[in-house]
Amino acid sequence: MTDTIERDQPATPAKEPGRFSLLRVTGGAAAGPLVILFLLNVADELDRSAFAVLTPTIRDDFGLDNQGILGIIGLIGIIALGSQVLIGYYADRFSRVKIALGGAAVWGFFTLFTGLAPTVALLVVARSATGIGRAVVDPTHNALLADYYPPETRVKVYGFHRAANSVGQILGPLLGGGLAFLFGWRAPFLLFWIPTILLVLIALRTLKDPVRGNFERRAMGASEEAIATEEAPPSFAEAWRICNQVQTLRRIWLSLPFLAASLIGLGSLYSIYYADEFGLNDFERGVAAAFTEPFQLVGIAIGIPIAAKLGARNPALVLRFLAVTGVVVGVAIVAFALAPTLPLAIAANVVIAAVLAIIIPGVYAVLSLAIPPRARSLGFAIGSLYILPGVLVLPIVGSFADSIGIRGAFIVLVPIFIIGSFIIASAGTFLAADVNKVRASSVAQAEVLAARRNGQSKLLLVKDLDAGYEGVQVLFNVNFEVDEGEIIALLGTNGAGKSTLLRAISGLLPASAGAVIFDGQDMTYAPPQEVAARGVVQVPGGKGVFPGLTVEENIRIAGWLFQKDKAYLAKATEEVLGFFPVLKERWDQPAGNLSGGEQQMLTLSQAFIAKPKLLMIDELSLGLAPIIVEQLLEIVRAIRDRGTTIILVEQSVNVALTIAETAFFMEKGEIRFRGPTSELLERPDIL
């Protein structure tokens, strides 16, 4: 459950904002949260950029070579990135503001500890802790911005937030390099923690959590009650499946190893390049970096409005625009690596900084549209796992710099970066569909939760569900609902999609679109074991037993959810043996030796013991004699009498008429009929 937190909603100003007002960036929503997150990002970048500029000095002070210092930086990056997934998971469940500020306090404290570290081991500890503290930024800041500000403003919002990195990369090298030149490399870290802690104290009093997904629901015209209703947080496995079904997100993840290997290597080599090739000291490197970084702001000022206009026409155009910028960066890296003089190197560096500044906010803006709100923090964080391979190659980049020269190491990075840029561009193919799925699903879940609180919701609601196998779509926009205590007959010929629908409900087959809401809780992407734990049990047609295990062992396995309730298991076992005495006679025999009808008896006995809220039976009567079917129907009725809701998949209209009151008829993956089973006799087209 989410914890109790104050909510902050965007406010629309009464008058037209001025030309240079931040309200033009936020689309009229309150600018305060953006300013605070911006300043926290600046404070984070002071420490990071100062360490980057001072890398050669720190390398020499601890007696390391290029491979050694880059290996340490890579190790620190792995620790920080590895922690992001866990942070993202908790940020989807608890207050993102508190997690963001807690991380800022951690990096502030260990920035101070960096300046005090006497050994390489303690330096690694300090930098790893600052990295873990900073690991909260991507999953929390990006998710918060998506819920503070409407979709049409997000390219500008993420661009402004990203400009904080540029400001920090201007001030960090300049202040860090100057302080290190005057007082030694430790001096900047003994001071840079102070603004971070001050900002944390201010933000604790002013920053509040917004409602997750409120803009997505508003965009689909949801009711005010639904807009204000926050979706229940998913489990880790469910959140992972939610993110993994977003095709845009998967394609961008694939680009990250290429981009990370090139960008992290590029950032780590800058200072070494200036020190080794042009002999710049700490202060001179700081001045060079401080001169270069303002052009990131120029790139943002020029590129982000272009990206915003493209995004207004079609968000996929933003991704194609980023591919073009990637080619420009690749050419500039080559020019930088081959520059014969310092002014030419700085000029190429200016181009790299200006154009690179456009890429990250553009990607974040697109992701904020494509990741479902209830798993948005984890969606941003999972990318860190794909960045890890790029971090792992840092020692290799360092060895290139040692063996073929630092200029050659830069050249090696160029094709890697361009490949990553074009993979990002290819994600545009899926973006429109993913955005529509996110919005429709968010509305469905919120409206059901709101209705459930008022006692109006169905036990099971399937809304606009699509699903299929290996790219072949089987279900098309299926809408299906079941009241508590009903027996529903789901009818249709072979290949109609009946079993596929049951598999999608039970979590065995992830949906490609739509929503499955059970008992007021979304479980569209919940894994099968969690679906079963919530009270949904499926009896597969002809495949419900473990043939190598005895009847007794199959019965015992069915009670896995009630292992501690021995009295219930004993009573339930006695009841099912009363329904099917033949099972007691075959108690010690392998289930595979039973007849087809006896195996169905065992399967239904397992379902009875599992005590489900919803039981889905696939092809109960298929291939069985009528007398056996009647025996099976007896326990089905008994299960219903205990309060269980039942969905019975059937090809036999006679069986449906015998036990069910309501029927759904499926054909070619769509629901063609819904109504009382008695009306089936009046539909010769279905019969």
Side-chain angles (χ1 to χ4, degrees):
M1 296 296 293
T2 52
D3 54 352
T4 302
I5 50 181
E6 294 183 89
R7 300 294 178 186
D8 194 16
Q9 293 296 335
T12 303
K15 60 181 181 179
E16 181 72 16
R19 182 176 180 181
F20 299 104
S21 171
L22 267 182
L23 296 176
R24 286 190 173 274
V25 174
T26 64
L34 179 58
V35 171
I36 291 174
L37 296 178
F38 175 91
L39 292 174
L40 282 170
N41 211 13
V42 171
D44 164 34
E45 202 62 53
L46 288 176
D47 166 85
R48 188 185 348 225
S49 58
F51 190 86
V53 164
L54 299 174
T55 294
T57 304
I58 296 170
R59 174 197 64 185
D60 296 340
D61 190 40
F62 286 102
L64 300 169
D65 59 12
N66 288 332
Q67 186 174 6
I69 191 65
L70 290 183
I72 290 174
I73 293 172
L75 174 62
I76 294 166
I78 290 169
I79 294 171
L81 291 169
S83 66
Q84 273 200 357
V85 171
L86 188 62
I87 291 168
Y89 169 70
Y90 283 109
D92 283 324
R93 305 181 74 79
F94 302 107
S95 168
R96 292 165 291 180
V97 166
K98 293 178 181 177
I99 292 173
L101 298 184
V106 168
W107 91 56
F109 175 79
F110 282 97
T111 292
L112 172 63
F113 191 71
T114 297
L116 301 173
T119 65
V120 171
L122 289 177
L123 178 69
V124 171
V125 170
R127 299 313 297 169
S128 298
T130 58
I132 292 172
R134 283 195 300 265
V136 305
V137 172
D138 279 353
T140 59
H141 286 213
N142 291 326
L144 283 168
L145 291 173
D147 289 323
Y148 279 131
Y149 302 108
E152 62 270 16
T153 69
R154 288 183 194 163
V155 173
K156 292 181 180 179
V157 165
Y158 283 108
F160 183 86
H161 182 256
R162 185 65 188 175
N165 296 74
S166 303
V167 173
Q169 288 163 11
I170 295 166
L171 297 177
L174 195 59
L175 296 175
L179 289 169
F181 182 75
L182 295 173
F183 305 109
W185 71 263
R186 298 177 185 273
F189 305 102
L190 300 178
L191 294 175
F192 283 174
W193 66 277
I194 297 174
T196 298
I197 300 303
L198 290 176
L199 284 168
V200 168
L201 295 175
I202 294 170
L204 280 171
R205 297 179 60 86
T206 58
L207 207 59
K208 301 174 185 177
D209 269 83
V211 176
R212 291 169 173 86
N214 68 92
F215 286 111
E216 281 72 17
R217 294 190 286 277
R218 190 178 298 278
M220 293 295 287
S223 66
E224 288 300 320
E225 184 180 8
I227 290 169
T229 300
E230 189 163 285
E231 304 160 49
S235 68
F236 184 84
E238 185 180 2
W240 190 279
R241 285 170 62 133
I242 288 172
C243 294
N244 196 56
Q245 57 85 31
V246 181
Q247 291 178 291
T248 304
L249 186 55
R250 289 207 309 267
R251 189 60 61 90
I252 290 176
W253 283 342
L254 290 176
S255 74
L256 293 180
F258 298 93
L259 295 179
S262 49
L263 292 179
I264 296 173
L266 196 66
S268 301
L269 292 174
Y270 274 143
S271 289
I272 296 173
Y273 176 72
Y274 281 129
D276 293 355
E277 294 295 323
F278 299 107
L280 302 188
N281 61 32
D282 289 342
F283 180 69
E284 291 167 338
R285 292 196 305 275
V287 171
F291 174 80
T292 302
E293 296 308 331
F295 289 93
Q296 287 195 39
L297 299 176
V298 174
I300 289 173
I302 296 173
I304 293 303
I306 296 173
K309 289 179 181 178
L310 292 173
R313 287 169 48 196
N314 180 356
L317 295 177
V318 176
L319 296 176
R320 294 169 194 163
F321 175 61
L322 298 183
V324 175
T325 63
V327 174
V328 174
V329 170
V331 173
I333 293 173
V334 173
F336 179 72
L338 301 179
T341 65
L342 180 60
L344 289 176
I346 291 176
N349 200 347
V350 162
V351 175
I352 295 170
V355 181
L356 272 181
I358 304 169
I359 293 178
I360 294 177
V363 170
Y364 285 160
V366 168
L367 290 180
S368 75
L369 298 173
I371 304 174
R374 64 198 297 259
R376 190 171 273 151
S377 295
L378 184 64
F380 280 113
I382 289 175
S384 63
L385 298 180
Y386 289 81
I387 292 174
L388 282 175
V391 177
L392 292 172
V393 304
L394 271 180
I396 300 174
V397 174
S399 67
F400 273 123
D402 288 330
S403 59
I404 65 174
I406 197 162
R407 295 179 185 270
F410 275 118
I411 299 295
V412 169
L413 297 175
V414 173
I416 299 173
F417 180 80
I418 292 177
I419 290 171
S421 299
F422 277 94
I423 293 176
I424 281 184
S426 69
T429 306
F430 314 108
L431 185 57
D434 285 335
V435 170
N436 288 333
K437 284 193 296 186
V438 166
R439 292 179 176 178
S441 177
S442 183
V443 170
Q445 293 159 25
E447 288 184 341
V448 168
L449 289 171
R452 191 70 176 173
R453 284 203 301 262
N454 298 326
Q456 300 170 350
S457 178
K458 306 288 185 179
L459 177 69
L460 175 70
L461 176 65
V462 176
K463 187 171 177 62
D464 301 329
L465 189 70
D466 293 347
Y469 304 92
E470 298 180 355
V472 178
Q473 188 170 345
V474 176
L475 301 182
F476 299 86
N477 200 41
V478 171
N479 288 280
F480 181 77
E481 57 187 41
V482 181
D483 281 320
E484 200 160 351
E486 278 190 304
I487 296 183
I488 297 290
L490 182 60
L491 307 173
T493 57
N494 282 335
K498 307 183 301 296
S499 297
T500 300
L501 177 56
L502 295 197
R503 288 174 61 82
I505 293 170
S506 61
L508 293 168
L509 177 67
S512 55
V516 178
I517 314 293
F518 177 72
D519 200 17
Q521 187 175 3
D522 176 69
M523 63 176 197
T524 313
Y525 299 104
Q529 70 274 15
E530 292 184 16
V531 174
R534 294 179 191 182
V536 179
V537 170
Q538 179 178 346
V539 174
K543 302 175 184 177
V545 300
F546 296 94
L549 301 181
T550 66
V551 171
E552 177 192 7
E553 289 166 338
N554 272 274
I555 292 290
R556 284 169 52 197
I557 286 173
W560 68 279
L561 291 171
F562 304 96
Q563 297 176 54
K564 296 181 181 179
D565 193 347
K566 304 297 183 184
Y568 166 74
L569 291 177
K571 181 182 177 182
T573 301
E574 184 179 348
E575 286 186 71
V576 297
L577 294 179
F579 283 116
F580 304 122
V582 68
L583 296 182
K584 190 171 185 178
E585 299 171 10
R586 314 289 293 272
W587 192 245
D588 296 320
Q589 297 182 24
N593 291 349
L594 303 181
S595 67
E598 290 168 344
Q599 288 191 25
Q600 278 287 57
M601 293 176 187
L602 179 55
T603 302
L604 285 174
S605 298
Q606 291 174 303
F608 183 90
I609 290 171
K611 202 176 180 179
K613 292 181 182 178
L614 173 65
L615 175 62
M616 302 185 295
I617 305 173
D618 195 359
E619 302 290 9
L620 176 71
S621 64
L622 185 64
L624 300 180
I627 190 171
I628 299 297
V629 173
E630 183 55 41
Q631 286 181 276
L632 298 177
L633 291 178
E634 184 179 350
I635 194 172
V636 171
R637 293 188 185 97
I639 294 172
R640 188 268 313 275
D641 292 343
R642 290 201 315 184
T644 298
T645 302
I646 297 173
I647 299 173
L648 185 65
V649 168
E650 267 299 327
Q651 292 187 53
S652 169
V653 176
N654 289 332
V655 172
L657 289 170
T658 300
I659 195 168
E661 297 177 355
T662 304
F664 286 79
F665 174 72
M666 291 190 72
E667 185 179 29
K668 297 180 179 179
E670 299 179 343
I671 301 291
R672 301 291 190 183
F673 167 85
R674 175 199 170 186
T677 51
S678 58
E679 291 184 10
L680 288 172
L681 299 176
E682 302 170 8
R683 293 291 302 271
D685 56 324
I686 294 177
L687 293 175

